[in-house]
Amino acid sequence: MIKTALVWFKTDLRIEDNETLVRAISQSQEIIPVYCLDESHFETTNFGFKKTGSFRAQFLLESLEDLDANLRKLGSGLLLVKGKPEIEIPKIVQEYKIQKVFAKREVAFEEKRTEKLVQEELFKLRCELETCSTSTLYHAEDLPFSIKNIPDVFTNFRKKTEKDAEVRKPFDKPLAIHSHEIPEFRVPKIEELGLKKTKKDKRAVLPFKGGETEALKRLQHYFYETKCLSKYKETRNGMVGADYSSKFSAWLAMGCISPRYIYSEVKKYEKEFGANESTYWLIFELLWRDFFRFMFKKHQTKFFLYSGIQSEKVNSKSLNEKLASQWINGTTPSDFINANMLELKLTGFMSNRGRQNVASYFCNELNMDWRIGAAYFEEQLIDYDVCSNWGNWAYLAGVGNDPRNQRWFNIEKQASDYDKKKIFRNLWLK
């Protein structure tokens, strides 16, 4: 048993089903929960967009405030620092004489690089870094194949995983946490992160608010208060309103709720109200999320290259600033694309159907470097997740995991299929 451990929270901002937290508590007499506002997350990328825009930053700050409140109920609190994790985490290690740091394991390039830098600094202080895999439905160790042998086609991955692997039980929420006294939590203003506060648009599908408390409320609403889960498969291609889909994505991306916890609740729901194609389909979507995360473990930096995980992609025009600006600002010749892009610009959210269409339009009609579109989504999306975002964009650009090589949407047909009465377009284009 060690005396003091540090729990480095990242995109796992929850108490329920958090293996990192549970392990730290079981191995130490007291813990210091820490979140580092990584200044690199607020820089401008090579594509000219902020890594984190106002919508997600606001959601993050709300999530941190909620995590601190939930930790304080258990006798602890959240220590918030700002800067480079490889500088700030070791400082706290020295100050509190910490012997071990616990954190979630990363798979994407930049996140892994930061993890490695922190580990190297901790090594100099004779402090160990222990990481846990906390982001997926299926644990990597339970998959029926090694990471390097995971099929690159989702259907093959899904069928074998569903047949030969089991989802582990979620970890119970700790009942108490022993900590040093943690200073009073002060959440920074969004302007302190170099961003402008955004106005809430009343047309937004949901007034997304960050935090585990809100995530659990949303699950309660979608499953038990409305039983929308039972018709999810029929409504998931909707575009207007709060309940055509679960909208869990923002809380999943920030780790305010875990896929395993959602899975366990789906199973409880099925026992009470019956299983059908819709209850299964929510698990199916969580599997897609897993798939992209495991693809990043397998292919590493390739998802950030123009050629993706393919090698024979011919280079297209890199950037036409006028066309890119029309796409971003919703002034293209397509009213369907415009409505979706305005929803994203004004709310930080877009339906799954919309995302596929605007990405196809960007890659195939505008014929631009798909990574520019992915980088804009990174800035703008409230539910940005590195693996799902870059994995989906590569997929639609024909350089990812799509066995068909090209996913070219007929935008006019899509508009008449999914917005026949123009309800969505009228909402955003008036």
Side-chain angles (χ1 to χ4, degrees):
M1 177 76 75
I2 56 178
K3 187 170 186 306
T4 314
L6 184 153
V7 178
W8 174 20
F9 281 93
K10 293 186 272 181
T11 45
D12 55 345
L13 306 179
R14 62 178 182 272
I15 309 282
E16 197 81 59
D17 189 35
N18 193 331
E19 185 178 357
T20 312
L21 183 61
V22 171
R23 277 199 194 199
I25 291 167
S26 71
Q27 291 182 37
S28 53
Q29 288 169 23
E30 57 179 30
I31 68 161
I32 311 286
V34 176
Y35 184 88
C36 180
L37 275 166
D38 187 341
E39 55 192 32
S40 72
H41 292 175
F42 299 93
E43 288 170 357
T44 299
T45 67
N46 297 337
F47 296 104
F49 301 112
K50 285 268 194 190
K51 278 191 81 60
T52 307
S54 300
F55 293 111
R56 191 162 77 262
Q58 186 59 44
F59 192 87
L60 166 64
L61 295 176
E62 290 161 357
S63 300
L64 294 173
E65 214 165 4
D66 186 62
L67 177 61
D68 174 69
N70 289 336
L71 285 166
R72 288 192 192 268
K73 284 173 198 163
L74 300 176
S76 185
L78 187 64
L79 186 60
L80 185 66
V81 292
K82 190 177 172 206
K84 289 184 164 68
E86 62 270 25
I87 294 170
E88 299 305 324
I89 301 288
K91 268 192 207 166
I92 300 164
V93 163
Q94 286 177 293
E95 187 184 340
Y96 290 96
K97 298 183 175 57
I98 281 157
Q99 293 142 295
K100 199 168 182 181
V101 172
F102 293 82
K104 72 166 273 198
R105 191 169 306 145
E106 299 294 355
V107 297
F109 173 69
E110 287 173 4
E111 290 77 1
K112 276 183 79 157
R113 185 178 58 195
T114 302
E115 190 178 278
K116 190 167 183 289
L117 287 171
V118 171
Q119 190 166 20
E120 284 165 1
E121 292 305 313
L122 294 179
F123 181 75
K124 294 174 192 172
L125 301 172
R126 296 183 176 177
C127 178
E128 190 187 337
L129 174 68
E130 183 175 315
T131 61
C132 312
S133 183
T134 67
S135 296
T136 48
L137 179 60
Y138 287 91
H139 201 287
E141 287 166 17
D142 301 337
L143 294 176
F145 11 62
S146 66
I147 293 295
K148 71 175 193 303
N149 292 322
I150 291 181
D152 282 339
V153 175
F154 173 69
T155 305
N156 303 345
F157 162 79
R158 176 183 64 81
K159 285 181 174 168
K160 191 152 177 56
T161 301
E162 285 178 338
K163 181 171 163 282
D164 296 334
E166 278 188 26
V167 176
R168 295 183 183 185
K169 274 178 64 183
F171 285 87
D172 290 333
K173 176 174 127 175
L175 298 172
I177 301 173
H178 300 289
S179 285
H180 264 280
E181 194 176 328
I182 309 283
E184 191 184 339
F185 187 79
R186 188 193 82 79
V187 71
K189 289 191 162 57
I190 200 157
E191 292 80 5
E192 291 171 53
L193 304 175
L195 297 165
K196 287 181 183 157
K197 198 166 169 59
T198 50
K199 289 189 181 124
K200 298 272 185 198
D201 193 299
K202 62 180 189 298
R203 295 167 293 181
V205 291
L206 260 189
F208 285 102
K209 190 175 182 211
E212 182 174 20
T213 306
E214 291 294 325
L216 298 175
K217 257 192 218 170
R218 177 64 191 167
L219 186 142
Q220 192 64 25
H221 168 85
Y222 195 75
F223 284 19
Y224 302 106
E225 288 165 16
T226 61
K227 307 204 178 41
C228 284
L229 177 58
S230 293
K231 52 180 193 297
Y232 171 68
K233 190 164 187 252
E234 295 91 83
T235 62
R236 73 197 161 88
N237 278 311
M239 303 182 83
V240 178
D243 293 340
Y244 63 78
S245 66
S246 73
K247 308 290 190 304
F248 292 153
S249 56
W251 291 287
L252 275 166
M254 213 58 87
C256 301
I257 194 167
S258 79
R260 272 197 313 220
Y261 183 83
I262 294 172
Y263 177 88
S264 70
E265 288 295 319
V266 170
K267 292 294 153 195
K268 277 186 208 165
Y269 180 95
E270 287 178 337
K271 274 185 186 160
E272 198 174 336
F273 304 109
N276 64 10
E277 265 198 320
S278 286
T279 58
Y280 164 71
W281 211 259
L282 192 71
I283 296 165
F284 174 89
E285 297 291 1
L286 290 173
L287 252 173
W288 260 111
R289 204 176 156 274
D290 269 18
F291 177 65
F292 282 129
R293 195 163 176 87
F294 293 133
M295 283 295 105
F296 268 67
K297 273 178 90 103
K298 177 179 176 180
H299 294 290
Q300 296 169 16
T301 53
K302 285 188 176 177
F303 276 100
F304 301 103
L305 303 176
Y306 180 77
S307 54
I309 62 170
Q310 313 297 335
S311 51
E312 63 283 345
K313 177 84 173 169
V314 183
N315 226 0
S316 77
K317 299 174 199 165
S318 57
L319 171 65
N320 177 320
E321 286 191 9
K322 185 185 170 198
L323 293 178
S325 171
Q326 288 176 352
W327 180 77
I328 285 168
N329 295 304
T331 58
T332 73
S334 165
D335 62 351
F336 190 58
I337 297 301
N338 295 345
N340 278 292
M341 292 305 294
L342 284 169
E343 181 183 26
L344 177 62
K345 187 181 178 182
L346 297 171
T347 72
F349 187 81
M350 191 195 295
S351 68
N352 180 49
R353 182 55 44 190
R355 292 179 204 207
Q356 293 185 60
N357 275 278
V358 302
S360 171
Y361 186 85
F362 189 89
C363 299
N364 301 316
E365 319 267 329
L366 303 183
N367 195 28
M368 278 193 276
D369 182 339
W370 64 273
R371 296 172 303 167
I372 298 162
Y376 177 65
F377 268 35
E378 179 171 352
E379 173 184 85
Q380 217 45 30
L381 281 174
I382 200 163
D383 62 1
Y384 170 76
D385 168 283
V386 56
C387 304
S388 295
N389 183 63
W390 289 84
N392 269 310
W393 267 93
Y395 188 95
L396 280 149
V399 297
N401 298 93
D402 189 355
R404 288 196 296 188
N405 256 346
Q406 197 74 5
R407 190 81 32 173
W408 194 311
F409 283 75
N410 177 333
I411 308 294
E412 290 311 307
K413 183 178 186 310
Q414 289 275 311
S416 69
D417 284 353
Y418 296 102
D419 189 31
K420 199 171 192 161
K421 295 179 179 169
K422 292 197 173 184
I423 293 167
F424 175 72
R425 280 169 284 180
N426 288 338
L427 179 67
W428 289 102
L429 299 175
K430 272 181 178 170

